[in-house]
Amino acid sequence: MRETYPFEKKPLSYAYDALEPYVDRQTMEYHHDRHLGTYTDRLNQALEAYPQWQDKTLEELLRNLEELPEELRIPVIHNAGGVYNHRMYFDSLTKDKKQMDDKALEKVRESFGSLEQMKAKMKEEAMGLFGSGYVWLAVKDGRLVLEQTVNQDTPISLGMIPILPLDVWEHAYYLKHQNRRADYLEQYMNAVDWKTVGERILEAMKD
Ligand code: MN3
């Protein structure tokens, strides 16, 4: 189904405490309800005065930034990006340990040697990211890559297919881990739904 303006505040597909001990309930409540909620409100507010853009999906808005009226462009980058990135973030986590299937693992090995090496590289990139942003596993020119983005920029605006976001904004971890970003990254990787990530890889790389 095409989802367009006004964008919904979708509930989490699991309980706030479902990812304990890896992601704590309080962080989940704030991150999902307040942060994602605010991006959703602000996106709807921004589009309110632009009926000609109200029939666009998040992806259509984010892929065509240069076509937007100038005064709408920044609010869309921040807020459509914020909604898109956070939905993908929450949809990438699971309370059940789920493994990536062999076909997808093979794609990971082609780019990174192994899934473990990919995770290590992703954590390293996230430790090196200055300020607020994300590290993404993404498909770029038919290959799996890691990319940093700033603020709520999203790989789909940059011509890539996003596979797994790693939110490195402090709001993703400060309540539980304060400034210990490495602890957050370690815990986060334990909650990732690798089966879903594998399905995204195969979908993005199919011929
Ligand atoms: Mn966030």
Side-chain angles (χ1 to χ4, degrees), residues 18-23 92-101 115-116 119 185-197:
L19 306 179
E20 299 263 11
Y22 304 126
V23 185
S92 297
L93 303 174
T94 178
K95 62 183 172 54
D96 311 307
K97 291 270 179 205
K98 291 189 187 168
Q99 304 303 320
M100 190 178 286
D101 89 3
L115 183 60
E116 289 313 309
K119 290 183 199 173
L185 299 172
E186 190 64 40
Q187 302 273 19
Y188 173 84
M189 290 292 178
N190 287 318
V192 169
D193 180 348
W194 295 106
K195 180 168 183 283
T196 295
V197 171

Side-chain angles (χ1 to χ4, degrees), residues 27-118:
T27 297
M28 266 302 182
E29 284 178 353
Y30 274 86
H31 201 180
H32 182 272
D33 293 5
R34 311 258 184 117
H35 289 276
L36 173 53
T38 301
Y39 288 119
T40 312
D41 288 339
R42 289 191 181 152
L43 176 60
N44 288 332
Q45 283 158 16
L47 288 168
E48 205 174 348
Y50 296 89
Q52 66 276 34
W53 294 96
Q54 290 174 358
D55 66 341
K56 305 293 184 200
T57 64
L58 288 174
E59 289 86 347
E60 287 164 352
L61 290 165
L62 289 164
R63 280 201 192 102
N64 299 291
L65 293 172
E66 68 293 341
E67 291 171 26
L68 293 169
E70 210 181 320
E71 65 280 12
L72 189 56
R73 195 173 303 140
I74 294 294
V76 164
I77 291 171
H78 290 172
N79 299 299
V83 174
Y84 183 88
N85 294 344
H86 281 96
R87 284 183 178 182
M88 191 166 201
Y89 178 82
F90 294 118
D91 287 346
S92 297
L93 303 174
T94 178
K95 62 183 172 54
D96 311 307
K97 291 270 179 205
K98 291 189 187 168
Q99 304 303 320
M100 190 178 286
D101 89 3
D102 287 342
K103 275 176 78 178
L105 269 178
E106 193 48 46
K107 302 287 185 193
V108 172
R109 287 191 197 108
E110 281 168 22
S111 283
F112 302 102
S114 69
L115 183 60
E116 289 313 309
Q117 281 175 276
M118 191 283 285

